[in-house]
Amino acid sequence: MSDTDFFDADEKAFIDGFLEKGYAIVPLQERERLDAVRARMYERAMKQLGPSGAKRPSLDAFFDHTERFVPVAKLNDFRLGVIEGLNKDALLRPALFKMARRHIEWAIGSEIAMQRTVNLSIQLPKDKSSLLPLHSDVWSGNSPYELVLWTPLVDCFKTKSMYVLERPESETIFREFSKYKEFDAEKLYRQIKPKLVWLTVPYGHAVLFTHSLLHGNRVNEEKTTRWTFNVRLKGLLTPYGVKEMGESFLPITVRPATRIGFEAVTLKK
Ligand SMILES: [Fe+2]
């Protein structure tokens, strides 16, 4: 499809790996940006919790053991309050993008559209209320050209992380889908469980994955809380799905040739 001689060796190795599996776990650049995001998140969370009279937990204690400070019944309101505040922070999206930029550009290209809002997921240990059953986002009309950037604020492993079904296995399921059409998500999960890969993502790393892969999460059976951001990215000029340009996506890195071309075409009309 392309002449791979045009890629550098490390870029080519990344591309081959991504094509093979449908995802990559990448180290973040400028780690201090992540520490700063985490600190701002902590301040936002403390504000959201209000004056409790109790001593403020340390940053690590708060992120690891959020269940000690936020009851499950209040978790969703708490989460929405925190992320609404953070989405007003003009630094969040650029920080998430820049930390993973090298690999985003290797996977997508240099002209990017990014989802307008960043989503936050908080999974308390043993909490059954914030689960994401097995799915592919393409089933709900999202563009297969989109990738998800999944950035944890804590170490993620085993059930505190997410799982994927790698590309060849996901594609086998799609090809044989008529076999599974009577299955609900749980039954399909049990069927493919032995082939699922649970992603080990230490703090300071992120996952880039195509949401066409089958993926999801389960009850967090580990002892600490999961905090993760997710945001979608795609090539600016690739086809859009139910999440449209302007509505869900905004251009973030437009090059002059595209801008001049777009303006020339628009002027002609
Ligand atoms: Fe998804």
Side-chain angles (χ1 to χ4, degrees):
M1 210 166 157
S2 59
D3 188 335
T4 51
D5 291 344
F6 286 82
F7 293 126
D8 293 336
D10 49 356
E11 191 175 3
K12 169 82 166 62
F14 173 87
I15 290 170
D16 288 348
F18 202 96
L19 282 172
E20 191 187 318
K21 295 178 173 179
Y23 72 93
I25 298 168
V26 302
L28 297 175
Q29 300 153 267
E30 305 174 47
R31 250 277 297 273
E32 60 284 0
R33 284 184 190 272
L34 187 62
D35 299 336
V37 166
R38 196 167 183 257
R40 290 206 299 278
M41 174 78 102
Y42 171 79
E43 288 306 325
R44 173 70 48 191
M46 290 303 116
K47 204 183 262 181
Q48 184 84 9
L49 288 177
S52 64
K55 207 168 123 258
R56 266 186 171 212
S58 73
L59 200 133
D60 284 340
F62 175 70
F63 281 107
D64 277 345
H65 293 291
T66 313
E67 77 283 0
R68 293 179 189 164
F69 311 98
V70 185
V72 172
K74 293 196 173 152
L75 180 63
N76 201 41
D77 286 346
F78 169 77
R79 184 185 65 81
L80 291 173
V82 171
I83 194 60
E84 195 188 300
L86 268 186
N87 269 314
K88 288 187 189 135
D89 177 345
L91 295 175
L92 178 66
R93 288 166 71 250
L96 293 176
F97 172 71
K98 284 183 176 170
M99 288 189 292
R101 180 172 189 169
R102 176 180 164 91
H103 296 99
I104 290 170
E105 292 190 347
W106 283 357
I108 299 180
S110 81
E111 289 189 298
I112 306 273
M114 185 179 198
Q115 208 174 355
R116 184 194 281 270
T117 54
V118 174
N119 300 302
L120 171 69
S121 165
I122 305 173
Q123 259 193 296
L124 305 178
K126 311 277 185 208
D127 172 23
K128 294 187 178 68
S129 70
S130 11
L131 301 184
L132 196 58
L134 177 71
H135 68 286
S136 160
D137 290 71
V138 173
W139 291 346
S140 42
N142 291 290
S143 167
Y145 293 84
E146 292 168 18
L147 296 187
V148 176
L149 173 66
W150 192 90
T151 312
L153 287 168
V154 290
D155 293 332
C156 288
F157 53 90
K158 297 184 182 167
T159 58
K160 188 182 164 183
S161 188
M162 60 173 283
Y163 61 76
V164 296
L165 185 65
E166 291 186 353
R167 201 165 167 232
E169 284 82 16
S170 276
E171 286 178 357
T172 302
I173 300 284
F174 301 147
R175 261 196 309 274
E176 300 172 348
F177 205 69
S178 56
K179 266 210 253 179
Y180 304 104
K181 65 175 189 294
E182 304 298 320
F183 285 38
D184 60 16
E186 186 60 25
K187 196 170 171 194
L188 187 55
Y189 169 81
R190 286 200 300 271
Q191 175 88 13
I192 63 176
K193 194 176 168 194
K195 291 184 180 153
L196 296 175
V197 179
W198 285 92
L199 304 179
T200 301
V201 194
Y203 180 71
H205 292 67
V207 184
L208 260 177
F209 69 99
T210 162
H211 60 185
S212 61
L213 292 184
L214 286 166
H215 62 281
N217 64 35
R218 305 291 287 178
V219 173
N220 174 5
E221 301 287 355
E222 315 314 318
K223 291 189 170 64
T224 47
T225 302
R226 179 184 124 185
W227 284 74
T228 48
F229 288 120
N230 68 79
V231 66
R232 293 156 196 256
L233 298 152
K234 67 192 290 300
L236 176 70
L237 301 175
T238 57
Y240 287 78
V242 286
K243 293 190 172 53
E244 293 171 14
M245 168 54 75
E247 185 67 30
S248 298
F249 280 96
L250 294 175
I252 59 167
T253 50
V254 188
R255 305 288 175 180
T258 300
R259 199 170 286 256
I260 290 168
F262 180 76
E263 284 169 13
V265 170
T266 316
L267 277 176
K268 256 194 210 166
K269 283 182 183 165

